[in-house]
Structures are given as structure tokens and as C-alpha cells.
Amino acid sequence: MSTLEIKGLHVSIAVDGGTKEILTGVDLTVRSGETHAIMGPNGSGKSTLAYAIAGHPRYEVTAGTVTLDGVDVLSMTVDERARAGLFLAMQYPVEVPGVSTANFLRSAATAVRGEAPKLRTWVKEVKQAMTDLEIDPAFAERNVNEGFSGGEKKRQEVLQLALLKPKFAVLDETDSGLDVDALRIVSDGVNRFREGGETGVLLITHYTRILQHIRPDRVHVFAGGKVVESGGPELADELEKNGYVRFTQVPSTV
């Protein structure tokens, strides 16, 4: 059983003339076997949370803690966080010219596992994962995400997830830009990852459509840079029906 715990997290970014606080005190705990969905309007800080956990240099943590099994995540470098068991699927996966997908995946697996996977078993592992995600095997020889469609990039993110097997996966709007078929395939891949019950998922999304495929244990509403309400899957149903108005409207002073 592993635990990812976030307490009182404040995060700022540099803007013209100073800094802007994006996260204003996030408290959140995710345990192995749990899937937590974070929902909220644009600009509420959802993606900032993802990148702060991953260690993106643009995001400055000014207060609070992030721990993985009691160990300080914020003191780790980006690669140390990955080796410790944290994984980020990006909303906009980047292209890596000159690096084939096959080489990238094996290098990543070697870094995370501490040794190079045996070639024979690794090839079978990759082929099976690509088959599960309906990825053309020819994509293994193409440069990472170069010339890929949005849906193909998202499948590649889930392919990495399947092969690296992290303790916790942070999925930042993995459903954005996906058609109906791609959404099903990607969701099935995430569900396969969850089946063992030994990993946790933090699923960031605007919409409830992915939650029809990936059923969360908890749903958290983000507004103003923090969690303003938490509940079960029924909270997502309410958001689908009523939107975020009650969490974002400013009370009248009249």
C-alpha cells in the first residue's frame, strides 16, 4: 500500500512584473487502488497541480508538502520522482525528434526498473501493450510523437503507463481531443493499469464523459486553486447537470 499525500500546497508562476499564485492550499490524499478525479473550470489550477507534482521548473512551490510513502517528493529531481513511482501523462505530449519510440520506451523502463529489461521478454511486453491499445507496430520505429495525431499521442502516453507501471499516475486531461473510439481505447488502457489494485490514479478532466469509462472512487472540485468540495461519483453527475456555477459565482454583497 502506497500513499501520495499533498498538504497545504501553494504554487506560483512568474508573470510580467512579479509572480501569480495559482494553487492556494491544496490538500489531497490518494492511496494505492484508488482513482481520484479532479474536475473544475478553466484556470482553476488543475494542470498546475499535475506539473507541480512532476517537478516542472516553471511552477514554484511556496508552501506545503508533497510526500510519497512519507518521503519528500519536492526535494527530488524530475527523474528521481519518476524512479520513485510518479508518472505524468501530459495534456499536450511533446514531440522528441531524433529519438525512436522503441528506444525511448526501453531507456525509460531501464531508468525506472534500475536495469535494462531482457530484450526477448521486453519485445513481447511492448507488442502486447501496443496490441491492447490498437497501436500500429510501425509506430515503434517512428520518433516520439513526431507527426502523431492528438489521439495517437494520448495512446502513446497510456502505452508508457502500461510499460513503466508507476505507483501513481497523474493523467492531465487525457481525454482532450479524443474521438469516441480513441476515448474507449485509452480508457480501457487506464482500466487495465488499475486492475491490480496496487496503483493510484489522479485523473484531471473538464468533462464527465471519461468518467463513464473510468469510474472514480472520489471526485474533487477545484476552484480558486484548491479543492472546494469532494464526494463520490455522484458529484460528477451533479457537475454534468449543473456545471461549476455554484463553486465560481461571487456572492452578492447587496
Side-chain angles (χ1 to χ4, degrees), residues 93-96 101 143-148 152-153 156-157:
V94 298
E95 297 184 1
V96 188
T101 297
N143 292 339
V144 177
N145 290 327
E146 193 171 30
F148 291 12
E152 288 166 347
K153 288 180 179 180
Q156 293 291 322
E157 294 286 279

Side-chain angles (χ1 to χ4, degrees), residues 160-219:
Q160 295 170 39
L161 176 65
L163 294 170
L164 299 179
K165 299 178 175 60
K167 292 181 180 178
F168 289 95
V170 181
L171 310 181
D172 185 20
E173 299 193 32
T174 298
D175 53 333
S176 65
L178 297 182
D179 61 26
V180 173
D181 291 328
L183 177 63
R184 173 188 56 78
I185 292 166
V186 165
S187 298
D188 287 348
V190 175
N191 285 329
R192 279 191 298 273
F193 169 74
R194 301 193 306 159
E195 281 176 358
E198 298 177 355
T199 56
V201 175
L202 193 58
L203 178 62
I204 296 170
T205 184
H206 283 298
Y207 309 108
T208 59
R209 64 176 193 152
I210 194 170
L211 303 184
Q212 296 170 11
H213 300 273
I214 303 172
R215 194 68 172 167
D217 300 292
R218 299 286 291 169
V219 175

Side-chain angles (χ1 to χ4, degrees), residues 59-70:
Y59 301 92
E60 180 186 3
V61 176
T62 57
T65 60
V66 179
T67 59
L68 176 58
D69 296 334

